[in-house]
Amino acid sequence: ALPTIYVITPTYARLVQKAELTRLAQTFLHVPQLQWIIVEDSPHKTPLVTAFLASSGLAYTHLHTPTPRDRKLQEGDPSWLKPRGAEQRNEGLRWLREDRRGQTGAETQLGVVYFADDDNTYSLQLFDEMRDTQRVSVWPVGLVGGMRYERPVVEGGKVVRFHTGWRPSRPFPLDMAGFAVSLKLVIVNQDACFDGDAPMGFLESSFLQGLVTMDELEPKADNCTKVLVWHTRTEKPKMKREEALQKQGLGSDT
Ligand code: UDP
Ligand code: MN
Protein backbone atom coordinates (compact mmCIF):
# COMPACT_ATOMS: atom_id res chain seq x y z
CA ALA A 1 0.00 0.00 0.00
CA LEU A 2 1.09 3.58 -0.56
CA PRO A 3 2.29 5.40 2.57
CA THR A 4 -0.36 7.91 3.68
CA ILE A 5 0.61 11.56 3.37
CA TYR A 6 -0.64 13.46 6.43
CA VAL A 7 -0.86 17.13 5.47
CA ILE A 8 -1.04 19.49 8.46
CA THR A 9 -2.54 22.89 7.64
CA PRO A 10 -2.98 25.73 10.13
CA THR A 11 -5.77 28.08 9.10
CA TYR A 12 -7.54 31.13 10.51
CA ALA A 13 -10.71 33.10 9.78
CA ARG A 14 -10.36 35.94 7.28
CA LEU A 15 -12.01 37.07 4.07
CA VAL A 16 -9.87 34.88 1.81
CA GLN A 17 -10.02 31.74 3.97
CA LYS A 18 -12.63 29.87 1.96
CA ALA A 19 -10.89 30.73 -1.31
CA GLU A 20 -7.54 29.47 0.05
CA LEU A 21 -9.08 26.26 1.37
CA THR A 22 -10.88 25.67 -1.93
CA ARG A 23 -7.64 25.97 -3.89
CA LEU A 24 -5.87 23.62 -1.51
CA ALA A 25 -8.67 21.04 -1.37
CA GLN A 26 -8.88 20.91 -5.14
CA THR A 27 -5.15 20.21 -5.33
CA PHE A 28 -5.32 17.53 -2.63
CA LEU A 29 -8.25 15.78 -4.35
CA HIS A 30 -5.77 14.77 -7.05
CA VAL A 31 -3.39 13.14 -4.57
CA PRO A 32 -3.98 9.49 -3.66
CA GLN A 33 -3.82 8.32 -0.03
CA LEU A 34 -3.75 11.79 1.51
CA GLN A 35 -5.25 12.76 4.84
CA TRP A 36 -5.75 16.44 5.52
CA ILE A 37 -5.24 17.49 9.14
CA ILE A 38 -6.67 20.95 9.26
CA VAL A 39 -6.08 22.89 12.47
CA GLU A 40 -8.06 26.04 13.03
CA ASP A 41 -6.48 28.90 14.97
CA SER A 42 -9.65 29.31 16.98
CA PRO A 43 -11.13 28.43 20.40
CA HIS A 44 -13.72 26.27 18.59
CA LYS A 45 -14.33 24.63 15.23
CA THR A 46 -16.00 27.20 13.01
CA PRO A 47 -19.14 26.43 10.98
CA LEU A 48 -17.40 27.60 7.79
CA VAL A 49 -14.53 25.12 8.01
CA THR A 50 -16.78 22.34 9.34
CA ALA A 51 -19.15 22.60 6.38
CA PHE A 52 -16.30 23.09 3.94
CA LEU A 53 -14.54 19.90 5.02
CA ALA A 54 -17.75 17.86 5.10
CA SER A 55 -18.39 18.61 1.44
CA SER A 56 -14.74 18.54 0.33
CA GLY A 57 -14.57 14.87 -0.66
CA LEU A 58 -11.25 14.53 1.17
CA ALA A 59 -10.21 12.27 4.04
CA TYR A 60 -9.68 14.75 6.87
CA THR A 61 -9.24 15.37 10.56
CA HIS A 62 -10.61 18.65 11.89
CA LEU A 63 -8.81 20.11 14.90
CA HIS A 64 -8.55 23.52 16.54
CA THR A 65 -6.41 25.36 19.03
CA PRO A 66 -6.21 29.11 19.56
CA THR A 67 -2.90 30.94 19.44
CA PRO A 68 -2.44 32.55 22.89
CA ARG A 69 -3.04 36.30 22.75
CA ASP A 70 0.56 37.28 23.52
CA ARG A 71 1.81 35.14 20.64
CA LYS A 72 -0.72 36.38 18.10
CA LEU A 73 0.19 39.03 15.56
CA GLN A 74 -1.78 42.22 16.18
CA GLU A 75 -3.25 44.43 13.46
CA GLY A 76 -0.40 46.50 12.04
CA ASP A 77 2.41 44.22 13.26
CA PRO A 78 4.87 43.23 10.52
CA SER A 79 4.23 39.58 9.59
CA TRP A 80 7.75 38.47 10.51
CA LEU A 81 7.40 39.60 14.16
CA LYS A 82 6.03 36.30 15.48
CA PRO A 83 5.91 32.80 14.04
CA ARG A 84 2.46 31.94 12.69
CA GLY A 85 0.77 28.57 13.00
CA ALA A 86 3.21 27.02 15.51
CA GLU A 87 0.58 25.95 18.06
CA GLN A 88 -1.63 24.59 15.30
CA ARG A 89 1.16 22.48 13.75
CA ASN A 90 1.97 21.14 17.23
CA GLU A 91 -1.69 20.21 17.71
CA GLY A 92 -1.51 18.28 14.43
CA LEU A 93 1.61 16.47 15.70
CA ARG A 94 -0.14 15.69 18.99
CA TRP A 95 -3.05 14.15 17.09
CA LEU A 96 -0.69 11.97 15.02
CA ARG A 97 1.05 10.74 18.16
CA GLU A 98 -1.90 10.28 20.49
CA ASP A 99 -5.19 10.10 18.63
CA ARG A 100 -4.40 8.58 15.25
CA ARG A 101 -4.73 5.09 16.69
CA GLY A 102 -8.15 3.69 16.01
CA GLN A 103 -8.15 5.06 12.48
CA THR A 104 -7.87 2.59 9.63
CA GLY A 105 -4.27 1.82 8.86
CA ALA A 106 -3.16 3.32 12.17
CA GLU A 107 -1.37 0.15 13.21
CA THR A 108 1.20 0.82 10.50
CA GLN A 109 3.67 3.63 10.96
CA LEU A 110 4.08 3.91 7.23
CA GLY A 111 3.37 7.51 6.42
CA VAL A 112 4.72 10.96 5.71
CA VAL A 113 3.99 14.25 7.45
CA TYR A 114 3.98 17.53 5.52
CA PHE A 115 3.19 21.04 6.76
CA ALA A 116 1.17 22.87 4.13
CA ASP A 117 0.22 26.48 4.85
CA ASP A 118 -3.15 27.43 3.41
CA ASP A 119 -1.87 30.13 1.05
CA ASN A 120 1.00 28.36 -0.75
CA THR A 121 0.83 26.74 -4.19
CA TYR A 122 1.57 23.01 -4.45
CA SER A 123 2.44 20.99 -7.56
CA LEU A 124 1.02 17.47 -7.67
CA GLN A 125 4.51 16.17 -8.41
CA LEU A 126 5.62 17.32 -4.97
CA PHE A 127 3.50 14.61 -3.34
CA ASP A 128 5.07 11.90 -5.52
CA GLU A 129 8.48 13.17 -4.46
CA MET A 130 7.78 13.10 -0.72
CA ARG A 131 5.88 9.79 -0.68
CA ASP A 132 8.93 7.59 0.02
CA THR A 133 10.50 9.82 2.69
CA GLN A 134 12.56 7.64 5.04
CA ARG A 135 13.47 10.27 7.62
CA VAL A 136 13.37 13.85 6.33
CA SER A 137 13.18 14.78 2.66
CA VAL A 138 13.90 18.27 1.30
CA TRP A 139 13.44 20.31 -1.90
CA PRO A 140 13.46 23.90 -3.17
CA VAL A 141 10.73 26.44 -2.35
CA GLY A 142 9.93 29.22 -4.80
CA LEU A 143 9.30 32.91 -4.04
CA VAL A 144 10.53 32.93 -0.48
CA GLY A 145 12.95 34.79 1.75
CA GLY A 146 13.35 37.64 -0.71
CA MET A 147 14.60 35.20 -3.35
CA ARG A 148 13.25 33.59 -6.54
CA TYR A 149 13.80 30.35 -4.68
CA GLU A 150 15.68 28.88 -1.75
CA ARG A 151 17.09 25.39 -1.99
CA PRO A 152 19.35 22.80 -0.43
CA VAL A 153 22.56 22.43 -2.44
CA VAL A 154 23.34 18.80 -3.25
CA GLU A 155 26.78 17.34 -3.97
CA GLY A 156 27.34 13.63 -4.48
CA GLY A 157 23.72 12.94 -3.55
CA LYS A 158 23.99 14.70 -0.16
CA VAL A 159 22.86 18.10 1.06
CA VAL A 160 26.05 20.04 1.76
CA ARG A 161 24.68 23.56 2.30
CA PHE A 162 21.68 25.79 1.62
CA HIS A 163 21.13 28.45 -0.99
CA THR A 164 19.32 31.13 0.99
CA GLY A 165 19.50 34.89 1.15
CA TRP A 166 19.47 35.12 4.90
CA ARG A 167 21.35 33.54 7.80
CA PRO A 168 22.57 30.38 6.08
CA SER A 169 24.12 29.47 9.44
CA ARG A 170 20.71 28.55 10.88
CA PRO A 171 20.65 24.81 11.72
CA PHE A 172 18.05 24.22 8.98
CA PRO A 173 17.56 27.33 6.83
CA LEU A 174 14.49 25.82 5.15
CA ASP A 175 10.97 27.09 4.67
CA MET A 176 8.10 25.15 6.25
CA ALA A 177 7.05 24.07 2.73
CA GLY A 178 10.50 22.68 1.92
CA PHE A 179 10.55 19.41 3.86
CA ALA A 180 8.55 16.33 4.84
CA VAL A 181 9.13 13.94 7.75
CA SER A 182 8.36 10.26 8.02
CA LEU A 183 5.51 9.43 10.40
CA LYS A 184 7.76 6.94 12.15
CA LEU A 185 10.33 9.62 12.97
CA VAL A 186 7.57 11.87 14.34
CA ILE A 187 6.27 9.05 16.54
CA VAL A 188 9.67 7.88 17.78
CA ASN A 189 10.67 11.45 18.69
CA GLN A 190 7.70 12.30 20.90
CA ASP A 191 9.15 15.64 21.98
CA ALA A 192 10.00 17.20 18.63
CA CYS A 193 7.75 20.21 18.11
CA PHE A 194 7.66 23.80 16.92
CA ASP A 195 8.87 26.43 19.38
CA GLY A 196 6.38 29.30 19.19
CA ASP A 197 8.98 31.50 20.88
CA ALA A 198 11.70 30.72 18.36
CA PRO A 199 13.33 33.84 16.94
CA MET A 200 12.38 34.82 13.39
CA GLY A 201 13.50 32.20 10.89
CA PHE A 202 14.20 29.51 13.48
CA LEU A 203 10.77 27.83 13.67
CA GLU A 204 11.64 25.10 11.16
CA SER A 205 15.00 24.52 12.87
CA SER A 206 13.35 24.19 16.30
CA PHE A 207 11.46 21.15 15.00
CA LEU A 208 14.05 19.58 12.70
CA GLN A 209 16.97 19.85 15.13
CA GLY A 210 15.46 17.11 17.26
CA LEU A 211 14.99 14.82 14.26
CA VAL A 212 17.93 14.80 11.81
CA THR A 213 21.34 16.02 10.87
CA MET A 214 22.11 17.76 7.59
CA ASP A 215 23.89 14.76 6.06
CA GLU A 216 20.82 12.57 6.67
CA LEU A 217 18.51 14.81 4.60
CA GLU A 218 17.04 13.12 1.51
CA PRO A 219 17.17 15.46 -1.50
CA LYS A 220 14.13 15.27 -3.81
CA ALA A 221 13.01 17.09 -6.97
CA ASP A 222 16.01 16.13 -9.14
CA ASN A 223 18.63 16.77 -6.48
CA CYS A 224 16.82 19.91 -5.41
CA THR A 225 16.94 21.53 -8.85
CA LYS A 226 13.15 21.75 -9.46
CA VAL A 227 10.70 24.12 -7.80
CA LEU A 228 7.46 22.25 -7.02
CA VAL A 229 6.04 24.48 -4.30
CA TRP A 230 5.75 28.24 -4.08
CA HIS A 231 5.46 30.41 -1.00
CA THR A 232 2.71 32.51 -2.57
CA ARG A 233 0.87 35.04 -0.41
CA THR A 234 -2.60 36.34 -1.00
CA GLU A 235 -3.26 40.04 -0.97
CA LYS A 236 -5.68 41.19 1.69
CA PRO A 237 -8.80 42.31 -0.19
CA LYS A 238 -9.87 45.91 0.30
CA MET A 239 -13.42 46.31 1.58
CA LYS A 240 -13.79 50.03 1.07
CA ARG A 241 -17.03 49.87 -0.95
CA GLU A 242 -18.48 47.18 1.27
CA GLU A 243 -18.05 49.43 4.29
CA ALA A 244 -19.52 52.43 2.49
CA LEU A 245 -22.65 50.46 1.58
CA GLN A 246 -23.01 49.16 5.11
CA LYS A 247 -22.93 52.70 6.47
CA GLN A 248 -25.85 53.53 4.19
CA GLY A 249 -27.69 50.49 5.50
CA LEU A 250 -27.39 48.72 2.15
CA GLY A 251 -25.05 45.94 3.26
CA SER A 252 -25.64 42.60 1.63
CA ASP A 253 -26.80 39.82 3.92
CA THR A 254 -24.53 37.06 2.63
N1 UDP B 1 -2.05 31.27 10.49
C1 UDP B 1 -2.78 30.99 11.62
N2 UDP B 1 -3.04 32.02 12.51
C2 UDP B 1 -2.62 33.30 12.28
C3 UDP B 1 -1.87 33.57 11.12
C4 UDP B 1 -1.59 32.53 10.25
O1 UDP B 1 -3.19 29.85 11.84
O2 UDP B 1 -2.90 34.18 13.13
C5 UDP B 1 -1.76 30.17 9.53
C6 UDP B 1 -2.04 30.53 8.08
O3 UDP B 1 -3.38 30.22 7.73
C7 UDP B 1 -1.01 29.68 7.33
C8 UDP B 1 0.15 29.59 8.32
O4 UDP B 1 -0.39 29.88 9.60
O5 UDP B 1 -1.50 28.39 7.04
C9 UDP B 1 1.27 30.58 8.00
O6 UDP B 1 0.74 31.89 8.01
P1 UDP B 1 1.02 32.94 6.83
O7 UDP B 1 0.74 32.29 5.52
O8 UDP B 1 0.31 34.20 7.15
O9 UDP B 1 2.59 33.14 7.01
P2 UDP B 1 3.67 33.66 5.97
O10 UDP B 1 3.27 33.26 4.60
O11 UDP B 1 3.69 35.13 6.14
O12 UDP B 1 4.92 32.99 6.42
MN1 MN C 1 1.88 32.14 3.80
Side-chain angles (χ1 to χ4, degrees):
L2 278 180
T4 300
I5 298 177
Y6 295 93
V7 175
I8 299 179
T9 299
T11 189
Y12 69 111
R14 62 214 193 274
L15 286 165
V16 299
Q17 184 180 32
K18 198 170 179 183
E20 306 282 33
L21 296 181
T22 298
R23 200 161 35 87
L24 235 60
Q26 294 185 356
T27 297
F28 297 160
L29 280 168
H30 293 282
V31 182
Q33 201 62 31
L34 179 150
Q35 181 161 344
W36 198 9
I37 303 175
I38 188 146
V39 191
E40 290 196 70
D41 181 354
S42 163
H44 53 263
K45 297 180 189 177
T46 65
L48 186 149
V49 175
T50 304
F52 176 84
L53 287 171
S55 64
S56 69
L58 288 163
Y60 65 87
T61 300
H62 186 184
L63 307 172
H64 68 92
T65 189
T67 305
R69 230 192 120 67
D70 57 316
R71 284 207 181 152
K72 188 112 176 148
L73 277 180
Q74 303 302 317
E75 187 83 26
D77 280 353
S79 71
W80 46 261
L81 196 64
K82 290 174 189 147
R84 291 158 301 284
E87 281 81 6
Q88 289 71 34
R89 295 185 193 97
N90 287 338
E91 172 63 7
L93 291 169
R94 187 204 60 72
W95 183 87
L96 285 171
R97 288 163 174 153
E98 295 173 17
D99 296 347
R100 189 184 58 100
R101 287 180 284 275
Q103 295 246 316
T104 27
E107 47 312 327
T108 124
Q109 295 194 345
L110 205 58
V112 179
V113 182
Y114 181 54
F115 300 95
D117 289 354
D118 62 4
D119 56 343
N120 294 340
T121 305
Y122 305 91
S123 157
L124 296 179
Q125 199 192 326
L126 181 68
F127 300 93
D128 296 335
E129 297 285 334
M130 72 173 74
R131 184 85 64 178
D132 73 335
T133 300
Q134 301 301 305
R135 296 174 68 82
V136 177
S137 56
V138 293
W139 49 78
V141 177
L143 313 177
V144 72
M147 311 267 287
R148 289 166 62 221
Y149 58 83
E150 289 182 347
R151 71 178 190 103
V153 177
V154 179
E155 282 171 12
K158 296 247 177 212
V159 175
V160 291
R161 61 178 181 278
F162 297 88
H163 172 74
T164 172
W166 186 77
R167 291 192 76 163
S169 60
R170 286 174 288 163
F172 293 95
L174 288 168
D175 185 75
M176 197 62 70
F179 65 90
V181 182
S182 77
L183 177 63
K184 188 162 182 198
L185 202 63
V186 164
I187 288 175
V188 169
N189 295 276
Q190 289 285 334
D191 296 332
C193 64
F194 293 96
D195 177 2
D197 291 321
M200 168 190 167
F202 284 77
L203 190 62
E204 293 83 354
S205 295
S206 71
F207 175 63
L208 289 171
Q209 263 179 315
L211 294 177
V212 271
T213 56
M214 182 161 78
D215 67 303
E216 292 173 321
L217 295 175
E218 299 147 50
K220 302 291 185 189
D222 278 349
N223 282 323
C224 298
T225 60
K226 299 267 183 312
V227 175
L228 300 174
V229 55
W230 294 264
H231 186 256
T232 44
R233 302 185 71 201
T234 304
E235 185 183 6
K236 187 178 178 202
K238 294 177 182 65
M239 289 293 122
K240 215 169 77 183
R241 314 262 173 240
E242 194 79 31
E243 282 154 21
L245 283 181
Q246 250 147 37
K247 272 186 204 130
Q248 297 167 35
L250 299 171
S252 91
D253 53 7
T254 48

